[in-house]
Amino acid sequence: MNQTGKEKNPNLKKISGIKMKSIGVLMTCPMHKYLEQQLETHFNLFKLWHCNSSITEFLKTHQGNTIRAVVGDTNIGADAELIASFPNLEIVASYSVGLDKIDLRKCEEKGIRVANTPDVLTDDVADLAIGLILGVLRRICASDEYVRIGKWKDADFGLATKFSGKSVGIVGLGRIGTAIAKRAEAFGCSISYFSRSQKPFANYKFYSNIIDLATSCQILIVACALTEETRHIINREVIDALGPKGILINIGRGAHVDETELVSALLEGRLGGAGLDVYENEPEVPEELLGLGNVVLQPHVGSDTVETSDAMADLVISNLKAHFSNKPLLTPVI
Amino acid sequence: MDCNGYRLENHDQNLFPKPKVLVLEPPPVFIYHEEKLSQKFHFLKAWDSPLPLDQFLTTHAHSVQAILSHGSCPVTTNTIRLLPSLGLIVTTSAGLDQIDLQECRRRGVSVAYAGSLFSADVADIAVGLLIDALRKISAGNRYVTQGLWANNGDFSLGSKVRDWSLSCRKFYWAPEKKLLILNETSQLAGGRKVGIVGLGSIGLEVGKRLEPFGCNILYCSRNKKSSASYPYYSNVCELAANCEVLIICCELNDQTRHVINKEVLLALGKKGLIINVGRGAIIDEQEMVRCLMQGEIAGAGLDVFENEPHVPSELISLDNVVLSPHRAVHTEETLMASVDLVIGNLEAFFSNKPLLSPVLLDE
């Protein structure tokens, strides 16, 4: 038996490239041109957005049992409805490391494999976290705007806040959290974290309570996975504990933060600033945030570099090829 | 008031007058901390006087022993010669190009400066500008605030700081359960080469910060630094030819003026980025603008310009450039520390104690 409990057929021959070209793969939305091209080259690719991103509409013109693999991302993954619509679905290969858009329980139930793209995007997301901190604390984005609209000729920009040596608190010390910690350490920052459990090899101060973490640090970074437990983990209480000199950096998921509370805290000066890459209802961003000089907003670009996008695409393709050749997945989740 | 009706402050002032310090132009620290400084020192403000400077100096500052200067306030040969009692010039800046050091040396005038007080802040801005330029953070922020994300879809891709420009990508599971990417020769992929121009206090802090980002640090300096393990290049052009990012961290002097010229920029190449946290005049600005407009280099992050606060209009039109209004040291914390350092140096001088951050003039 393999991991999913299905019997592995020892007589199953390696599937040739030609046979793989006939395998139906559904891509849920436009993610990356290179990935799309690779999927088209190696498989029989279907694009959900050609059917208005609606499974129902897709099924009007396509047979559900054609689809043996789904490639999803942070926008559209594989929920219960999708899984139920494709009875021959064998694998969900996510173009992301986050799994919050995949019904993992359903996949496990039905013996569907799941793969994601860990490690290859860790650097990019960690780099962005530091970039956001500097953008907010040192007001790099605001002062760039100041120069562009010609205000420097009239008056000096004013003071910012030092980053080096400040206290950094990380929510979730996984791959990305650890990479952020290593970078912040080089700036002389003290690192503390909150996690489900203490990490035995991490040389940072552990807090078992997120309020205590927020009270103790000046820069709070959300770097954990989105689950039922972590939804709105950054609430009013945490924001107030972080305080008027504190800044919040979110490179996790929009739903980690109670966005309404965040907006009012920023408007009322109860929070010092924020650097956000994710939002509760992308691509919508609360209008009130748009004019604020102590806020830096990014359009969910955590792993959006040419290099990492290509590497993630290669990983998705590798996982699919491995699965359909009866080889072990490179980065299995289930 | 004391029993004789004198204001006690004035009484003290007569017995223990505050030391006089000449200030030629208002230093930025005055904007925020003049009161704190004025509690300890009596400032003779040359700019406040209707008299031309020379006259002011001979009339009012003849006995002055100390000058408070700042980065863009020249202390010329002439000024120094008009002050026979001058013993100290304190500048709030780390840069010294505005002071006639040769005349100070000749006259035995001590100079105190910011030393390495600003190094962390300047290094932070250098790294911030680099990440911003590569990952298009300011441009992305504009994309969102201008409502383009909702209307136009995904923003364009940036460049990875570590850089894996590879035709071949092999996945490899390391023993510590981490998926790595190897290149064609099975070496760990990436390691963007960053060339630091000037490995002084600031350059070292920049290098230290960039290492965990996966950058390979190279440098060029007047002399090779025995304590630094980074590969050394004796000239800037060779350094530029061997790296993808140049970070200017050196001081402005006769040797470094326009040292970043057309040859260096072309050597840096079409994928190259230039970050300047030194002085505007270290780069031939016109040439850099031309290279940016024509795609001879990929982008820039600039905190300084040749003719501040003027910024070439061509740069304003570019999305691959990050512009900062010379504020690499403008943080509340460092400004406060800078004021304390000025006070400390002046107090040391006036009590015949060693200066806290003297410039070594006998080189």
Side-chain angles (χ1 to χ4, degrees):
Chain A
M1 290 270 190
N2 65 10
Q3 271 181 285
T4 61
K6 277 188 178 157
E7 271 187 309
K8 196 172 166 180
N9 187 340
N11 296 321
L12 201 65
K13 284 185 194 154
K14 207 160 104 170
I15 298 180
S16 68
I18 298 167
K19 290 239 167 74
M20 236 185 256
K21 190 78 182 79
S22 67
I23 295 173
V25 175
L26 178 75
M27 198 176 181
T28 61
C29 47
M31 293 162 207
H32 184 38
K33 265 283 170 243
Y34 168 69
L35 174 60
E36 209 175 301
Q37 284 157 10
Q38 288 293 300
L39 288 169
E40 253 159 354
T41 305
H42 292 104
F43 304 100
N44 184 15
L45 181 65
F46 298 91
K47 303 174 193 179
L48 189 60
W49 64 97
H50 285 184
C51 301
N52 280 323
S53 303
S54 153
I55 305 274
T56 323
E57 214 171 296
F58 178 82
L59 292 173
K60 285 184 190 156
T61 43
H62 302 84
Q63 296 281 1
N65 56 15
T66 351
I67 302 299
R68 292 173 64 187
V70 164
V71 174
D73 75 347
T74 57
N75 286 321
I76 304 176
D79 59 9
E81 184 207 351
L82 181 146
I83 293 167
S85 307
F86 302 123
N88 285 344
L89 183 59
E90 296 169 34
I91 176 170
V92 175
S94 191
Y95 181 73
S96 74
V97 67
L99 302 163
D100 45 286
K101 289 285 166 84
I102 300 173
D103 192 329
L104 295 170
R105 215 174 324 161
K106 254 289 165 324
C107 288
E108 199 146 24
E109 217 178 271
K110 296 195 167 236
I112 296 170
R113 305 299 311 274
V114 176
N116 62 348
T117 61
D119 291 329
V120 297
L121 50 63
T122 300
D123 279 341
D124 269 2
V125 183
D127 294 348
L128 185 68
I130 302 295
L132 283 171
I133 294 172
L134 287 164
V136 176
L137 279 183
R138 295 302 302 271
R139 305 176 71 194
I140 294 176
C141 302
S143 66
D144 173 271
E145 189 59 27
Y146 193 78
V147 174
R148 281 173 196 272
I149 62 180
K151 280 196 177 162
W152 190 19
K153 295 195 191 87
D154 304 326
D156 270 341
F157 180 71
L159 297 177
T161 306
K162 187 169 180 166
F163 171 38
S164 278
K166 290 293 164 67
S167 51
V168 169
I170 302 175
V171 181
L173 201 70
R175 286 171 288 243
I176 293 172
T178 303
I180 294 172
K182 290 205 156 47
R183 285 153 174 75
E185 276 185 300
F187 289 80
C189 293
S190 61
I191 314 291
S192 48
Y193 70 102
F194 163 76
S195 205
R196 269 173 307 197
S197 57
Q198 189 161 5
K199 310 281 173 182
F201 300 110
N203 207 11
Y204 312 125
K205 186 167 167 66
F206 170 69
Y207 286 93
S208 54
N209 177 319
I210 194 174
I211 302 287
D212 292 341
L213 178 71
T215 310
S216 75
C217 71
Q218 193 174 350
I219 301 161
L220 186 65
I221 307 171
V222 181
C224 56
L226 179 65
T227 62
E228 278 312 304
E229 291 85 48
T230 62
R231 191 168 293 273
H232 280 200
I233 194 173
I234 308 298
N235 55 19
R236 188 186 174 109
E237 218 188 328
V238 173
I239 291 169
D240 282 345
L242 191 48
K245 286 202 188 287
I247 70 160
L248 177 72
I249 303 293
N250 191 2
I251 43 88
R253 287 287 180 267
H256 278 127
V257 177
D258 183 337
E259 209 160 80
T260 316
E261 287 295 344
L262 174 66
V263 171
S264 61
L266 285 164
L267 293 176
E268 292 164 26
R270 286 183 286 112
L271 181 65
L276 310 170
D277 187 42
V278 286
Y279 313 84
E280 290 214 68
N281 202 13
E282 296 170 18
E284 282 169 34
V285 174
E287 217 178 296
E288 300 93 324
L289 297 181
L290 300 184
L292 298 179
N294 56 346
V295 170
V296 174
L297 305 167
Q298 296 289 278
H300 201 156
V301 291
S303 58
D304 282 4
T305 62
V306 172
E307 296 86 347
T308 296
S309 300
D310 285 355
M312 285 166 67
D314 281 353
L315 195 45
V316 166
I317 301 292
S318 298
N319 275 311
L320 289 174
K321 278 185 175 173
H323 171 76
F324 290 114
S325 314
N326 247 349
K327 289 202 180 118
L329 299 183
L330 275 84
T331 47
V333 175
I334 298 174
Chain B
M1 295 250 189
D2 74 357
C3 57
N4 293 319
Y6 283 111
R7 288 192 66 201
L8 283 167
E9 191 195 85
N10 286 343
H11 190 63
D12 271 347
Q13 176 74 348
N14 291 331
L15 279 183
F16 305 110
K18 289 186 266 188
K20 281 193 209 140
V21 179
L22 172 66
V23 193
L24 302 170
E25 290 164 29
V29 288
F30 265 25
I31 301 170
Y32 303 96
H33 297 293
E34 184 176 347
E35 205 186 301
K36 184 174 181 179
L37 287 158
S38 297
Q39 279 168 8
K40 305 239 176 193
F41 308 101
H42 175 64
F43 291 105
L44 296 171
K45 299 175 183 174
W47 77 88
D48 253 357
S49 166
L51 295 173
L53 181 64
D54 283 12
Q55 242 187 300
F56 177 85
L57 294 180
T58 44
T59 314
H60 297 287
H62 195 73
S63 62
V64 125
Q65 297 179 64
I67 293 177
L68 173 60
S69 166
H70 63 276
S72 47
C73 169
V75 184
T76 61
T77 323
N78 191 50
T79 300
I80 297 172
R81 287 190 184 164
L82 287 171
L83 299 167
S85 307
L86 187 66
L88 171 70
I89 300 172
V90 186
T91 177
T92 54
S93 61
L96 299 165
D97 50 284
Q98 77 281 15
I99 300 173
D100 186 341
L101 296 177
Q102 209 170 348
E103 184 64 17
C104 290
R105 211 176 279 126
R106 194 186 71 79
R107 278 276 306 277
V109 173
S110 302
V111 180
Y113 70 143
S116 59
L117 189 71
F118 300 143
S119 300
D121 267 351
V122 181
D124 290 357
I125 276 282
V127 176
L129 289 171
L130 173 61
I131 301 176
D132 193 320
L134 283 171
R135 295 297 300 274
K136 305 183 180 183
I137 297 182
S138 286
N141 189 50
R142 280 195 291 279
Y143 194 74
V144 176
T145 55
Q146 288 165 11
L148 297 172
W149 190 22
N151 293 326
N152 296 6
D154 283 346
F155 187 51
S156 53
L157 297 176
S159 300
K160 187 175 173 71
V161 175
R162 186 188 288 268
D163 179 32
W164 292 330
S165 321
L166 303 165
S167 51
C168 160
R169 261 180 301 271
K170 291 190 287 193
F171 294 113
Y172 165 72
W173 270 108
E176 67 266 27
K177 294 201 183 146
K178 183 175 174 179
L179 188 70
L180 299 174
I181 297 192
L182 305 180
N183 62 16
E184 302 85 358
T185 56
S186 295
Q187 299 298 311
L188 193 59
R192 190 180 288 269
K193 298 207 212 73
V194 174
I196 299 180
V197 182
L199 202 69
S201 171
I202 294 172
L204 281 169
E205 293 290 334
V206 171
K208 192 175 89 175
R209 281 154 177 71
L210 286 179
E211 284 182 54
F213 286 83
C215 295
N216 290 332
I217 311 294
L218 320 169
Y219 77 103
C220 161
S221 210
R222 256 176 317 200
N223 307 300
K224 190 169 181 201
K225 311 274 174 181
S226 51
S227 51
S229 56
Y230 307 136
Y232 170 72
Y233 289 81
S234 55
N235 79 69
V236 181
C237 211
E238 221 190 308
L239 178 71
N242 282 284
C243 68
E244 290 122 32
V245 181
L246 272 183
I247 306 187
I248 313 303
C249 300
C250 58
E251 63 176 42
L252 175 65
N253 54 41
D254 289 333
Q255 289 80 44
T256 61
R257 187 172 297 273
H258 278 202
V259 71
I260 309 300
N261 55 19
K262 178 174 179 166
E263 199 193 346
V264 171
L265 292 167
L266 293 180
L268 183 60
K270 293 189 193 303
K271 264 192 64 184
L273 272 188
I274 187 146
I275 307 293
N276 192 0
V277 292
R279 284 287 179 273
I282 295 171
I283 301 180
D284 179 342
E285 195 165 275
Q286 232 176 342
E287 193 53 49
M288 176 186 61
V289 170
R290 196 196 63 78
C291 285
L292 282 163
M293 296 297 285
Q294 293 176 6
E296 301 285 3
I297 60 173
L302 308 166
D303 184 51
V304 284
F305 305 85
E306 286 213 66
N307 199 15
E308 296 166 15
H310 173 75
V311 173
S313 53
E314 297 93 326
L315 296 182
I316 311 279
S317 67
L318 294 173
D319 243 10
N320 57 341
V321 171
V322 189
L323 306 166
S324 174
H326 200 161
R327 34 187 306 287
V329 310
H330 284 52
T331 62
E332 288 181 6
E333 295 87 338
T334 294
L335 189 71
M336 183 60 80
S338 162
V339 170
D340 289 342
L341 186 59
V342 164
I343 292 173
N345 274 308
L346 285 169
E347 283 183 334
F349 172 74
F350 285 116
S351 23
N352 275 325
K353 292 201 177 112
L355 294 174
L356 302 183
S357 51
V359 174
L360 298 171
L361 288 173
D362 326 300
E363 273 188 83

